[in-house]
PDB file of all heavy atoms in Angstrom:
ATOM      1  N   GLU A  25      47.075 -35.264 -76.505  1.00  0.00           N
ATOM      2  CA  GLU A  25      47.493 -34.585 -77.730  1.00  0.00           C
ATOM      3  C   GLU A  25      46.606 -34.986 -78.882  1.00  0.00           C
ATOM      4  O   GLU A  25      46.277 -34.149 -79.755  1.00  0.00           O
ATOM      5  CB  GLU A  25      48.929 -34.917 -78.047  1.00  0.00           C
ATOM      6  CG  GLU A  25      49.920 -34.315 -77.097  1.00  0.00           C
ATOM      7  CD  GLU A  25      51.353 -34.763 -77.385  1.00  0.00           C
ATOM      8  OE1 GLU A  25      51.596 -35.983 -77.339  1.00  0.00           O
ATOM      9  OE2 GLU A  25      52.178 -33.893 -77.630  1.00  0.00           O
ATOM     10  N   ILE A  26      46.193 -36.255 -78.917  1.00  0.00           N
ATOM     11  CA  ILE A  26      45.320 -36.695 -80.022  1.00  0.00           C
ATOM     12  C   ILE A  26      43.973 -35.986 -79.922  1.00  0.00           C
ATOM     13  O   ILE A  26      43.421 -35.512 -80.923  1.00  0.00           O
ATOM     14  CB  ILE A  26      45.205 -38.239 -79.996  1.00  0.00           C
ATOM     15  CG1 ILE A  26      46.549 -38.829 -80.395  1.00  0.00           C
ATOM     16  CG2 ILE A  26      44.077 -38.713 -80.907  1.00  0.00           C
ATOM     17  CD1 ILE A  26      46.695 -40.291 -80.087  1.00  0.00           C
ATOM     18  N   LEU A  27      43.415 -35.912 -78.716  1.00  0.00           N
ATOM     19  CA  LEU A  27      42.147 -35.201 -78.514  1.00  0.00           C
ATOM     20  C   LEU A  27      42.284 -33.738 -78.890  1.00  0.00           C
ATOM     21  O   LEU A  27      41.479 -33.197 -79.657  1.00  0.00           O
ATOM     22  CB  LEU A  27      41.691 -35.351 -77.059  1.00  0.00           C
ATOM     23  CG  LEU A  27      40.487 -34.501 -76.629  1.00  0.00           C
ATOM     24  CD1 LEU A  27      39.259 -34.786 -77.493  1.00  0.00           C
ATOM     25  CD2 LEU A  27      40.180 -34.747 -75.151  1.00  0.00           C
ATOM     26  N   ALA A  28      43.306 -33.068 -78.351  1.00  0.00           N
ATOM     27  CA  ALA A  28      43.509 -31.646 -78.648  1.00  0.00           C
ATOM     28  C   ALA A  28      43.707 -31.407 -80.142  1.00  0.00           C
ATOM     29  O   ALA A  28      43.139 -30.489 -80.712  1.00  0.00           O
ATOM     30  CB  ALA A  28      44.696 -31.114 -77.853  1.00  0.00           C
ATOM     31  N   GLY A  29      44.500 -32.284 -80.784  1.00  0.00           N
ATOM     32  CA  GLY A  29      44.726 -32.137 -82.221  1.00  0.00           C
ATOM     33  C   GLY A  29      43.493 -32.353 -83.041  1.00  0.00           C
ATOM     34  O   GLY A  29      43.259 -31.617 -84.003  1.00  0.00           O
ATOM     35  N   ALA A  30      42.658 -33.318 -82.672  1.00  0.00           N
ATOM     36  CA  ALA A  30      41.418 -33.550 -83.392  1.00  0.00           C
ATOM     37  C   ALA A  30      40.496 -32.372 -83.290  1.00  0.00           C
ATOM     38  O   ALA A  30      39.860 -31.969 -84.280  1.00  0.00           O
ATOM     39  CB  ALA A  30      40.736 -34.821 -82.870  1.00  0.00           C
ATOM     40  N   LEU A  31      40.391 -31.770 -82.102  1.00  0.00           N
ATOM     41  CA  LEU A  31      39.529 -30.607 -81.922  1.00  0.00           C
ATOM     42  C   LEU A  31      40.078 -29.400 -82.665  1.00  0.00           C
ATOM     43  O   LEU A  31      39.295 -28.643 -83.292  1.00  0.00           O
ATOM     44  CB  LEU A  31      39.377 -30.311 -80.432  1.00  0.00           C
ATOM     45  CG  LEU A  31      38.667 -31.413 -79.613  1.00  0.00           C
ATOM     46  CD1 LEU A  31      38.652 -31.048 -78.144  1.00  0.00           C
ATOM     47  CD2 LEU A  31      37.267 -31.686 -80.113  1.00  0.00           C
ATOM     48  N   GLN A  32      41.390 -29.208 -82.675  1.00  0.00           N
ATOM     49  CA  GLN A  32      41.998 -28.100 -83.395  1.00  0.00           C
ATOM     50  C   GLN A  32      41.885 -28.318 -84.907  1.00  0.00           C
ATOM     51  O   GLN A  32      41.469 -27.390 -85.648  1.00  0.00           O
ATOM     52  CB  GLN A  32      43.443 -27.935 -83.006  1.00  0.00           C
ATOM     53  CG  GLN A  32      44.132 -26.797 -83.746  1.00  0.00           C
ATOM     54  CD  GLN A  32      45.612 -26.690 -83.428  1.00  0.00           C
ATOM     55  OE1 GLN A  32      46.287 -27.694 -83.339  1.00  0.00           O
ATOM     56  NE2 GLN A  32      46.115 -25.478 -83.312  1.00  0.00           N
ATOM     57  N   ASP A  33      42.207 -29.506 -85.411  1.00  0.00           N
ATOM     58  CA  ASP A  33      42.212 -29.757 -86.840  1.00  0.00           C
ATOM     59  C   ASP A  33      40.821 -29.666 -87.448  1.00  0.00           C
ATOM     60  O   ASP A  33      40.674 -29.355 -88.628  1.00  0.00           O
ATOM     61  CB  ASP A  33      42.795 -31.137 -87.128  1.00  0.00           C
ATOM     62  CG  ASP A  33      44.283 -31.200 -86.879  1.00  0.00           C
ATOM     63  OD1 ASP A  33      44.900 -30.133 -86.637  1.00  0.00           O
ATOM     64  OD2 ASP A  33      44.842 -32.332 -86.908  1.00  0.00           O
ATOM     65  N   ASN A  34      39.778 -29.917 -86.631  1.00  0.00           N
ATOM     66  CA  ASN A  34      38.401 -29.793 -87.141  1.00  0.00           C
ATOM     67  C   ASN A  34      37.807 -28.432 -86.813  1.00  0.00           C
ATOM     68  O   ASN A  34      36.597 -28.267 -86.910  1.00  0.00           O
ATOM     69  CB  ASN A  34      37.555 -30.924 -86.533  1.00  0.00           C
ATOM     70  CG  ASN A  34      37.851 -32.263 -87.188  1.00  0.00           C
ATOM     71  OD1 ASN A  34      37.451 -32.514 -88.310  1.00  0.00           O
ATOM     72  ND2 ASN A  34      38.572 -33.118 -86.486  1.00  0.00           N
ATOM     73  N   CYS A  35      38.658 -27.487 -86.452  1.00  0.00           N
ATOM     74  CA  CYS A  35      38.224 -26.118 -86.139  1.00  0.00           C
ATOM     75  C   CYS A  35      37.128 -26.085 -85.096  1.00  0.00           C
ATOM     76  O   CYS A  35      36.201 -25.259 -85.124  1.00  0.00           O
ATOM     77  CB  CYS A  35      37.758 -25.381 -87.406  1.00  0.00           C
ATOM     78  SG  CYS A  35      39.053 -25.244 -88.642  1.00  0.00           S
ATOM     79  N   ARG A  36      37.224 -26.990 -84.132  1.00  0.00           N
ATOM     80  CA  ARG A  36      36.205 -27.079 -83.075  1.00  0.00           C
ATOM     81  C   ARG A  36      36.628 -26.346 -81.796  1.00  0.00           C
ATOM     82  O   ARG A  36      35.787 -25.983 -81.009  1.00  0.00           O
ATOM     83  CB  ARG A  36      35.916 -28.557 -82.781  1.00  0.00           C
ATOM     84  CG  ARG A  36      34.861 -28.787 -81.740  1.00  0.00           C
ATOM     85  CD  ARG A  36      33.561 -28.075 -82.129  1.00  0.00           C
ATOM     86  NE  ARG A  36      32.620 -28.124 -81.049  1.00  0.00           N
ATOM     87  CZ  ARG A  36      32.498 -27.153 -80.126  1.00  0.00           C
ATOM     88  NH1 ARG A  36      33.291 -26.106 -80.128  1.00  0.00           N
ATOM     89  NH2 ARG A  36      31.610 -27.253 -79.177  1.00  0.00           N
ATOM     90  N   GLY A  37      37.922 -26.174 -81.608  1.00  0.00           N
ATOM     91  CA  GLY A  37      38.370 -25.489 -80.426  1.00  0.00           C
ATOM     92  C   GLY A  37      39.691 -24.803 -80.676  1.00  0.00           C
ATOM     93  O   GLY A  37      40.389 -25.085 -81.652  1.00  0.00           O
ATOM     94  N   VAL A  38      40.044 -23.892 -79.757  1.00  0.00           N
ATOM     95  CA  VAL A  38      41.285 -23.138 -79.838  1.00  0.00           C
ATOM     96  C   VAL A  38      42.207 -23.665 -78.754  1.00  0.00           C
ATOM     97  O   VAL A  38      41.845 -23.703 -77.597  1.00  0.00           O
ATOM     98  CB  VAL A  38      41.022 -21.641 -79.671  1.00  0.00           C
ATOM     99  CG1 VAL A  38      42.330 -20.831 -79.656  1.00  0.00           C
ATOM    100  CG2 VAL A  38      40.073 -21.125 -80.744  1.00  0.00           C
ATOM    101  N   LEU A  39      43.442 -24.024 -79.158  1.00  0.00           N
ATOM    102  CA  LEU A  39      44.430 -24.450 -78.170  1.00  0.00           C
ATOM    103  C   LEU A  39      45.064 -23.234 -77.539  1.00  0.00           C
ATOM    104  O   LEU A  39      45.441 -22.282 -78.211  1.00  0.00           O
ATOM    105  CB  LEU A  39      45.506 -25.324 -78.812  1.00  0.00           C
ATOM    106  CG  LEU A  39      45.088 -26.626 -79.459  1.00  0.00           C
ATOM    107  CD1 LEU A  39      46.306 -27.400 -79.917  1.00  0.00           C
ATOM    108  CD2 LEU A  39      44.256 -27.456 -78.515  1.00  0.00           C
ATOM    109  N   VAL A  40      45.191 -23.284 -76.196  1.00  0.00           N
ATOM    110  CA  VAL A  40      45.748 -22.171 -75.433  1.00  0.00           C
ATOM    111  C   VAL A  40      46.812 -22.750 -74.486  1.00  0.00           C
ATOM    112  O   VAL A  40      46.546 -23.734 -73.794  1.00  0.00           O
ATOM    113  CB  VAL A  40      44.644 -21.454 -74.608  1.00  0.00           C
ATOM    114  CG1 VAL A  40      45.269 -20.311 -73.806  1.00  0.00           C
ATOM    115  CG2 VAL A  40      43.535 -20.978 -75.522  1.00  0.00           C
ATOM    116  N   GLY A  41      48.002 -22.153 -74.456  1.00  0.00           N
ATOM    117  CA  GLY A  41      49.038 -22.614 -73.528  1.00  0.00           C
ATOM    118  C   GLY A  41      50.343 -22.849 -74.204  1.00  0.00           C
ATOM    119  O   GLY A  41      50.663 -22.216 -75.212  1.00  0.00           O
ATOM    120  N   LYS A  42      51.082 -23.765 -73.639  1.00  0.00           N
ATOM    121  CA  LYS A  42      52.444 -24.107 -74.139  1.00  0.00           C
ATOM    122  C   LYS A  42      52.359 -25.239 -75.149  1.00  0.00           C
ATOM    123  O   LYS A  42      51.365 -25.941 -75.268  1.00  0.00           O
ATOM    124  CB  LYS A  42      53.317 -24.576 -72.983  1.00  0.00           C
ATOM    125  CG  LYS A  42      53.568 -23.558 -71.912  1.00  0.00           C
ATOM    126  CD  LYS A  42      54.457 -24.171 -70.835  1.00  0.00           C
ATOM    127  CE  LYS A  42      54.720 -23.187 -69.727  1.00  0.00           C
ATOM    128  NZ  LYS A  42      55.542 -23.817 -68.663  1.00  0.00           N
ATOM    129  N   GLN A  43      53.474 -25.455 -75.873  1.00  0.00           N
ATOM    130  CA  GLN A  43      53.573 -26.562 -76.786  1.00  0.00           C
ATOM    131  C   GLN A  43      53.468 -27.869 -75.979  1.00  0.00           C
ATOM    132  O   GLN A  43      54.031 -27.988 -74.898  1.00  0.00           O
ATOM    133  CB  GLN A  43      54.942 -26.520 -77.505  1.00  0.00           C
ATOM    134  CG  GLN A  43      55.059 -27.627 -78.523  1.00  0.00           C
ATOM    135  CD  GLN A  43      56.326 -27.458 -79.378  1.00  0.00           C
ATOM    136  OE1 GLN A  43      56.894 -26.385 -79.467  1.00  0.00           O
ATOM    137  NE2 GLN A  43      56.761 -28.566 -79.988  1.00  0.00           N
ATOM    138  N   THR A  44      52.761 -28.840 -76.535  1.00  0.00           N
ATOM    139  CA  THR A  44      52.555 -30.097 -75.811  1.00  0.00           C
ATOM    140  C   THR A  44      53.827 -30.949 -75.815  1.00  0.00           C
ATOM    141  O   THR A  44      54.816 -30.637 -76.489  1.00  0.00           O
ATOM    142  CB  THR A  44      51.393 -30.907 -76.439  1.00  0.00           C
ATOM    143  OG1 THR A  44      51.703 -31.228 -77.788  1.00  0.00           O
ATOM    144  CG2 THR A  44      50.081 -30.125 -76.378  1.00  0.00           C
ATOM    145  N   TYR A  45      53.770 -32.080 -75.093  1.00  0.00           N
ATOM    146  CA  TYR A  45      54.915 -32.920 -74.906  1.00  0.00           C
ATOM    147  C   TYR A  45      55.551 -33.395 -76.215  1.00  0.00           C
ATOM    148  O   TYR A  45      56.761 -33.498 -76.345  1.00  0.00           O
ATOM    149  CB  TYR A  45      54.494 -34.123 -74.041  1.00  0.00           C
ATOM    150  CG  TYR A  45      55.605 -35.094 -73.719  1.00  0.00           C
ATOM    151  CD1 TYR A  45      56.548 -34.775 -72.729  1.00  0.00           C
ATOM    152  CD2 TYR A  45      55.727 -36.294 -74.393  1.00  0.00           C
ATOM    153  CE1 TYR A  45      57.558 -35.667 -72.427  1.00  0.00           C
ATOM    154  CE2 TYR A  45      56.742 -37.186 -74.068  1.00  0.00           C
ATOM    155  CZ  TYR A  45      57.669 -36.849 -73.085  1.00  0.00           C
ATOM    156  OH  TYR A  45      58.653 -37.721 -72.787  1.00  0.00           O
ATOM    157  N   GLY A  46      54.697 -33.745 -77.188  1.00  0.00           N
ATOM    158  CA  GLY A  46      55.224 -34.096 -78.506  1.00  0.00           C
ATOM    159  C   GLY A  46      55.126 -35.564 -78.850  1.00  0.00           C
ATOM    160  O   GLY A  46      55.616 -35.970 -79.882  1.00  0.00           O
ATOM    161  N   LYS A  47      54.508 -36.359 -77.997  1.00  0.00           N
ATOM    162  CA  LYS A  47      54.360 -37.776 -78.320  1.00  0.00           C
ATOM    163  C   LYS A  47      53.361 -37.956 -79.454  1.00  0.00           C
ATOM    164  O   LYS A  47      53.711 -38.457 -80.499  1.00  0.00           O
ATOM    165  CB  LYS A  47      53.918 -38.563 -77.072  1.00  0.00           C
ATOM    166  CG  LYS A  47      53.827 -40.045 -77.338  1.00  0.00           C
ATOM    167  CD  LYS A  47      53.470 -40.797 -76.056  1.00  0.00           C
ATOM    168  CE  LYS A  47      53.340 -42.256 -76.365  1.00  0.00           C
ATOM    169  NZ  LYS A  47      52.784 -43.002 -75.279  1.00  0.00           N
ATOM    170  N   GLY A  48      52.114 -37.527 -79.245  1.00  0.00           N
ATOM    171  CA  GLY A  48      51.110 -37.424 -80.291  1.00  0.00           C
ATOM    172  C   GLY A  48      50.876 -38.657 -81.128  1.00  0.00           C
ATOM    173  O   GLY A  48      50.583 -38.556 -82.300  1.00  0.00           O
ATOM    174  N   LEU A  49      51.073 -39.824 -80.560  1.00  0.00           N
ATOM    175  CA  LEU A  49      50.828 -41.052 -81.347  1.00  0.00           C
ATOM    176  C   LEU A  49      50.132 -42.093 -80.485  1.00  0.00           C
ATOM    177  O   LEU A  49      50.046 -41.968 -79.273  1.00  0.00           O
ATOM    178  CB  LEU A  49      52.124 -41.593 -81.928  1.00  0.00           C
ATOM    179  CG  LEU A  49      53.277 -41.904 -80.940  1.00  0.00           C
ATOM    180  CD1 LEU A  49      53.110 -43.270 -80.345  1.00  0.00           C
ATOM    181  CD2 LEU A  49      54.576 -41.790 -81.684  1.00  0.00           C
ATOM    182  N   ILE A  50      49.643 -43.104 -81.155  1.00  0.00           N
ATOM    183  CA  ILE A  50      48.979 -44.221 -80.486  1.00  0.00           C
ATOM    184  C   ILE A  50      49.952 -45.379 -80.449  1.00  0.00           C
ATOM    185  O   ILE A  50      50.516 -45.751 -81.483  1.00  0.00           O
ATOM    186  CB  ILE A  50      47.687 -44.623 -81.243  1.00  0.00           C
ATOM    187  CG1 ILE A  50      46.695 -43.440 -81.283  1.00  0.00           C
ATOM    188  CG2 ILE A  50      47.060 -45.828 -80.582  1.00  0.00           C
ATOM    189  CD1 ILE A  50      45.530 -43.708 -82.187  1.00  0.00           C
ATOM    190  N   GLN A  51      50.122 -45.918 -79.280  1.00  0.00           N
ATOM    191  CA  GLN A  51      50.984 -47.113 -79.208  1.00  0.00           C
ATOM    192  C   GLN A  51      50.107 -48.303 -78.809  1.00  0.00           C
ATOM    193  O   GLN A  51      49.150 -48.150 -78.073  1.00  0.00           O
ATOM    194  CB  GLN A  51      52.121 -46.892 -78.234  1.00  0.00           C
ATOM    195  CG  GLN A  51      51.700 -46.645 -76.780  1.00  0.00           C
ATOM    196  CD  GLN A  51      52.845 -46.173 -75.957  1.00  0.00           C
ATOM    197  OE1 GLN A  51      53.289 -45.022 -76.113  1.00  0.00           O
ATOM    198  NE2 GLN A  51      53.331 -47.019 -75.108  1.00  0.00           N
TER     199      GLN A  51
END
């Protein structure tokens, strides 16, 4: 999710599919 979010937020790629799991954090 962090990789996908970074690519989406920087307008580098388009996300395709379902909503992700929702963890989206670093532990």
Side-chain angles (χ1 to χ4, degrees):
E25 290 175 301
I26 292 166
L27 171 58
L31 296 176
Q32 180 185 39
D33 290 351
N34 285 286
C35 300
R36 182 55 190 91
V38 176
L39 298 186
V40 180
K42 297 180 181 178
Q43 183 173 340
T44 62
Y45 183 77
K47 183 177 178 189
L49 56 85
I50 299 171
Q51 61 191 74

